[in-house]
Amino acid sequence: MKTTDLAVIGAGPGGLAAAITAAQAGLRVTLIDESPRPGGQYLRGTGRQATQSIPRAEQRTRAFLQQLPHPHIDLQTGTLVWGIDDRTLALHGPNGNFNLQAEQIIIATGGRELVPPFPGWTLPGVMTLGAAQILTKEYGLLPGKRIALAGSGPLLLAAASALLAKDARIIAILEATHPGAWLPHVNALWGNFNRLLEGNAYLRTIQRHKIPYRFGQTVIQATGKGQLEYIVTAKLDPRGRPVPGSEKEIAADTLCLGFGLIPNTELAQLAECQHEYSTTRGGWVPARDKYLQTSQPGIYAVGEAAGVGGADMALMEGQIAALAITRRFNQIPALQRQLRPLRRFAVMLNTLFAPPLALNTLASDETIICRCQEVRAGEIRQAVRQGNHTLGGLKNSIHIGQGQCQGRTCGPLLTRLIASQTHEPPEAAGQFRPRPPLKPISLGALAQEQRP
Amino acid sequence: MNTTADAIIIGGGIVGAACAYYLSERGLAVHLIERDFPASGTSRACDGLILQWDKLPGAELSLGLASQKLWRDLAAELDAEIGFEQAGTIFLAEQADQMEAGKEKANALSASGQRAEVLTPGELRELEPELALDLAGGVLFPDDLQVDPRRATLAMLAAARRRGARITTGEAVLNFQRAPGDNPAITGVITPGGSIAAAHVICAAGVWSAEITQLAGLSLPIRPRKGHILVSDIRPKKIHHPLLEGGYATTVQLAAEDVQVALVAEMTASGSLLLGSSREFAGFDRRVSLAVIRAIAQRAARFLPHLAHSSVIRSYAGLRPWSPDHLPLIGPCEQAPGFYLASGHEGAGIGLAPITGKLIADWVTGAALPPYANAVLPDRFDPIKGSKTNVLI
């Protein structure tokens, strides 16, 4: 079996920082990523015009990236980690299916976007902000001709900026939260001037293009025959409920949605790391000690995968975990000091821009929640009324979360749907239990004999 | 709150649900207690095949045939979609010697009135074009059945509830109520919600039955025998019958300690393909073993090579309640009057659930019993009979 001193899963900012930092101390590192290239969603998604300065986190990520290839790093791209059994990882990539036995593991699997469901959200033309950015950045394609953006948080501005760089026609940007909520969080801004400047640069781009940027509004419905044609927008009251009478119908062929990120915890769950629920870090996250080690000795978690906080935070965390693994503890306190204001800032962003729970009630009974198996909100609500207040109970009483995506998409939505119906805290609904393979692999690949 | 019932059933899996169904049918006031939610244990981590050809002649086959008939009746009686189908099963012979074993099984089952059609390699491929070209042949058993275990459990519980059964979920049995003095009789159970008194208490807790019987001072010889299943999405392709490799019956009957793997392939109503099977003693560990799912995938690719490009989307492991003589434990326990067992079915719990529920109802109501009822009495094992050493687990 292949062996390695350290397996780093995910080659975004956190994973890159961890791999390079550990390799510098002489460890044999295997750096694994599902994408064909390292850099993560972060480098793929940076939208910037030539006139803008490069954000600090991007500079640092690129500096780590430039150290590849590295004599101590075995880079496995296009490779999926689909299982874990103690410290043995099951991988599938261009070199087939193989097991990798690692002395230590750093999970840096990033996050994914959260979109609360509403009527029409499954229409072609409705997509996530990330999908729109991939189209523009990777393929040079614009997702549509009349584009609306809705959601909450800084990614909304970043995506708008990326689309504008390709001369997209954006008809509106709808930020669901209210600016009045900023004041109690002023303390967290201290020490985060870089992040603020980054946001400010995006804002200036948007103002220059005279794009309507509305706070306290969102899209509550999407309509069209086989393709998005109209969106219905509404004002939201401070609790996130649509204000009756404020609805407006607008023609649009593309709607890009993003209400912040949630951590990709499936691998950490499969490794049986203890998890806790944190509304200020994006939901379920693995519990960690001060060196970012999970409850499973030798398994660390860094970056968005362990709590949403942005690339700056992921870079710091990747280094801290790698320094702890290579026992260079004297270098850690300085990084921890830099991490503190970043964490405060992340908590503020995640609190300010958390999609209000009321948005989860927008779905009509006909709205599809589980896309794999076409389960509608009405069926779910009825099952909840019958006493199924957990994801496990729902899965058992109605067929949900068992299709191609294994509940990756609907799981976090169900957590919030249940909470908005039962008025219990979201964590009371529990989680789906991931099983190998974490993402589909072919039967033939799974059957492949291990290379000696 | 303290309540009473005629019969208490511990466990809301398919066996407990069948007990609730047949006891409530006889007019008894039933109270079923499930510590998690219905079908949360082995009944949702298994396949739904109801076979006869893996059974040994005698009590085992008699139980199987009686239960087969009950399943047909249930499919008509239950007012719900339970995925019932008379799909038949196909025994696959990899080599000539297995073909001989298959023919023997065909003859044995024909003698019991079950249909069996011996298939040449050509006939086999005509029925199942996805199969490998080099198989020695097969046997079609057209009377074998298929259900969706989870739905069937929920449907039997719903029917029992309509007849007045109480079903409590999310509550565990903490202890038993005993008759006063030295009387060993069980008179009810204690739960966090209060005590429930009943003349009859039935343990249908499957692989977790030993935990329950320990509260009653009885030791059970039931051990968890772990199994893995892979879920594959093979659309637009399909298989038309559940397929089992001939070596499957051997893995069932052998009590080997190491991992036994034999192909079982079954399409579900939702269009996914379930691939099994494995048998191993691994305690109560329900984690998926990478080595075992690889071995199952290899058997699947051996028999169904065209599915190599189909995706595997999930795997899971479940625990079968294994009994030392491969027969379930059904009926009263002499040492604890009022206490009954309905457990130890290993991999046959889905198939044998109805006959188990019916036998329990017969015992409880004092109805006439079929001859094979004695062969499955729990007291055939010493610790349950009450030998001095109550330690065997």
Side-chain angles (χ1 to χ4, degrees), chain B residues 186-238:
Chain B
I186 301 280
T187 60
V189 300
I190 297 159
T191 72
S195 64
I196 310 164
H200 312 280
V201 177
I202 299 123
C203 171
V207 76
W208 298 277
S209 295
E211 279 176 46
I212 300 291
T213 57
Q214 248 176 359
L215 299 174
L218 304 171
S219 293
L220 268 191
I222 291 174
R223 287 173 70 191
R225 202 172 183 199
K226 187 176 178 179
H228 287 76
I229 289 180
L230 302 180
V231 186
S232 176
D233 191 347
I234 64 167
R235 281 169 292 186
K237 291 181 177 165
K238 62 190 278 192

Side-chain angles (χ1 to χ4, degrees), chain B residues 140-185:
Chain B
L140 170 66
F141 294 97
D143 294 322
D144 283 342
L145 309 174
Q146 188 180 7
V147 293
D148 178 334
R150 186 185 59 91
R151 285 174 192 251
T153 305
L154 297 181
M156 285 193 280
L157 287 176
R161 196 185 271 124
R162 283 196 294 274
R163 294 175 187 143
R166 287 190 64 186
I167 292 158
T168 304
T169 56
E171 250 183 47
V173 166
L174 302 175
N175 211 335
F176 289 103
Q177 281 188 326
R178 304 279 199 155
D182 284 341
N183 189 337

Side-chain angles (χ1 to χ4, degrees), chain A residues 266-325:
Chain A
E266 286 74 14
L267 185 60
Q269 282 178 265
L270 196 59
E272 299 191 309
C273 303
Q274 276 172 28
H275 281 69
E276 56 197 25
Y277 198 88
S278 163
T279 47
T280 58
R281 289 194 284 154
W284 288 105
V285 288
R288 299 178 298 172
D289 67 13
K290 64 176 174 175
Y291 298 124
L292 312 179
Q293 186 169 218
T294 67
S295 62
Q296 294 285 0
I299 301 183
Y300 296 72
V302 303
E304 313 286 54
V308 174
D312 285 296
M313 216 167 97
L315 288 162
M316 300 282 168
E317 290 196 350
Q319 292 173 75
I320 290 172
L323 289 171
I325 286 170

Side-chain angles (χ1 to χ4, degrees), chain A residues 156-422:
Chain A
L156 201 53
L157 296 182
S161 188
L163 285 165
L164 290 172
K166 299 278 176 197
D167 297 322
R169 182 170 175 211
I170 297 179
I171 54 170
I173 303 171
L174 305 176
E175 165 60 60
T177 60
H178 290 265
W182 282 72
L183 280 176
H185 301 276
V186 173
N187 276 345
L189 300 180
W190 187 254
N192 283 286
F193 300 113
N194 267 296
R195 299 285 297 271
L196 290 179
L197 287 176
E198 205 176 312
N200 204 28
Y202 291 141
L203 263 180
R204 278 204 308 275
T205 311
I206 287 155
Q207 280 163 355
R208 199 169 57 245
H209 286 79
K210 298 192 168 49
I211 293 163
Y213 180 40
R214 308 270 180 258
F215 277 90
Q217 291 193 24
T218 198
V219 173
I220 61 165
Q221 200 183 344
T223 58
K225 283 194 182 127
Q227 153 71 33
L228 178 67
E229 291 169 19
Y230 294 96
I231 56 172
V232 178
T233 70
K235 288 184 179 160
L236 298 172
D237 71 14
R239 291 175 62 188
R241 293 168 304 197
V243 177
S246 70
E247 299 88 351
K248 264 189 216 156
E249 194 177 57
I250 305 170
D253 64 3
T254 305
L255 172 61
C256 306
L257 298 161
F259 289 81
L261 299 179
I262 50 172
N264 288 328
T265 58
E266 286 74 14
L267 185 60
Q269 282 178 265
L270 196 59
E272 299 191 309
C273 303
Q274 276 172 28
H275 281 69
E276 56 197 25
Y277 198 88
S278 163
T279 47
T280 58
R281 289 194 284 154
W284 288 105
V285 288
R288 299 178 298 172
D289 67 13
K290 64 176 174 175
Y291 298 124
L292 312 179
Q293 186 169 218
T294 67
S295 62
Q296 294 285 0
I299 301 183
Y300 296 72
V302 303
E304 313 286 54
V308 174
D312 285 296
M313 216 167 97
L315 288 162
M316 300 282 168
E317 290 196 350
Q319 292 173 75
I320 290 172
L323 289 171
I325 286 170
T326 51
R327 316 201 68 76
R328 287 174 286 171
F329 293 106
N330 58 336
Q331 297 180 40
I332 292 178
L335 285 168
Q336 281 169 335
R337 271 195 300 280
Q338 294 177 57
L339 194 55
R340 242 169 263 140
L342 293 175
R343 284 222 168 112
R344 281 203 303 272
F345 190 67
V347 165
M348 181 203 75
L349 284 185
N350 292 331
T351 309
L352 267 181
F353 293 115
L357 210 51
L359 285 185
N360 296 294
T361 57
L362 288 179
S364 75
D365 280 354
E366 292 305 306
T367 307
I368 287 176
I369 305 297
C370 167
R371 292 167 181 244
C372 299
Q373 289 157 305
E374 299 196 3
V375 184
R376 291 167 199 275
E379 199 183 336
I380 295 163
R381 287 177 179 138
Q382 195 192 341
V384 175
R385 274 195 297 275
Q386 287 167 352
N388 297 290
H389 291 187
T390 63
L391 267 62
L394 269 184
K395 185 173 174 174
N396 200 50
S397 67
I398 55 177
H399 217 58
I400 195 163
Q402 293 169 55
Q404 285 281 348
C405 91
Q406 289 296 298
R408 200 177 290 267
T409 308
C410 69
L413 305 180
L414 292 172
T415 302
R416 290 159 176 84
L417 270 179
I418 294 170
S420 62
Q421 198 171 334
T422 61

Side-chain angles (χ1 to χ4, degrees), chain B residues 43-328:
Chain B
S43 302
R44 67 160 180 174
C46 56
D47 66 50
L49 298 180
I50 299 165
L51 308 178
Q52 304 308 327
W53 60 262
D54 65 333
K55 311 267 185 295
L56 294 179
E60 191 183 353
L61 185 58
S62 302
L63 280 170
L65 293 174
S67 215
Q68 185 192 60
K69 183 180 175 308
L70 291 174
W71 266 120
R72 292 214 169 88
D73 298 342
L74 276 172
E77 290 162 27
L78 290 171
D79 183 23
E81 176 52 55
I82 61 164
F84 178 87
E85 226 179 303
Q86 184 168 322
T89 60
I90 297 180
F91 169 107
L92 302 174
E94 201 174 359
Q95 277 137 15
D97 57 333
Q98 275 183 351
M99 200 56 221
E100 290 311 308
K103 283 177 188 164
E104 273 171 38
K105 286 188 185 300
N107 289 334
L109 277 189
S110 299
S112 306
Q114 293 280 296
R115 290 175 295 163
E117 295 169 25
V118 176
L119 305 170
T120 64
E123 289 166 336
L124 182 60
R125 258 203 318 284
E126 212 156 288
L127 287 178
E128 294 294 347
E130 306 294 336
L131 280 172
L133 299 176
D134 61 344
L135 301 182
V139 186
L140 170 66
F141 294 97
D143 294 322
D144 283 342
L145 309 174
Q146 188 180 7
V147 293
D148 178 334
R150 186 185 59 91
R151 285 174 192 251
T153 305
L154 297 181
M156 285 193 280
L157 287 176
R161 196 185 271 124
R162 283 196 294 274
R163 294 175 187 143
R166 287 190 64 186
I167 292 158
T168 304
T169 56
E171 250 183 47
V173 166
L174 302 175
N175 211 335
F176 289 103
Q177 281 188 326
R178 304 279 199 155
D182 284 341
N183 189 337
I186 301 280
T187 60
V189 300
I190 297 159
T191 72
S195 64
I196 310 164
H200 312 280
V201 177
I202 299 123
C203 171
V207 76
W208 298 277
S209 295
E211 279 176 46
I212 300 291
T213 57
Q214 248 176 359
L215 299 174
L218 304 171
S219 293
L220 268 191
I222 291 174
R223 287 173 70 191
R225 202 172 183 199
K226 187 176 178 179
H228 287 76
I229 289 180
L230 302 180
V231 186
S232 176
D233 191 347
I234 64 167
R235 281 169 292 186
K237 291 181 177 165
K238 62 190 278 192
I239 62 167
H240 305 274
H241 305 81
L243 306 172
L244 296 96
E245 71 169 287
Y248 172 76
T250 321
T251 67
V252 174
Q253 298 294 344
L254 270 179
E257 290 289 324
D258 57 338
V259 188
Q260 308 279 306
V261 173
L263 175 70
V264 177
E266 172 202 13
M267 291 286 288
T268 67
S270 63
S272 38
L273 180 70
L274 303 186
L275 295 168
S277 63
S278 69
R279 283 180 146 76
E280 68 187 299
F281 292 106
F284 282 88
D285 182 356
R286 287 175 75 177
R287 282 177 301 182
V288 169
S289 148
L290 299 178
V292 174
I293 61 173
R294 171 161 294 129
I296 292 174
Q298 284 170 351
R299 289 318 280 167
R302 160 72 186 95
F303 286 95
L304 297 161
H306 298 331
L307 300 187
H309 296 289
S310 307
S311 50
V312 175
I313 57 177
R314 182 169 79 247
S315 65
Y316 49 87
L319 302 172
R320 306 177 183 93
W322 174 89
S323 126
D325 62 358
H326 202 64
L327 283 173

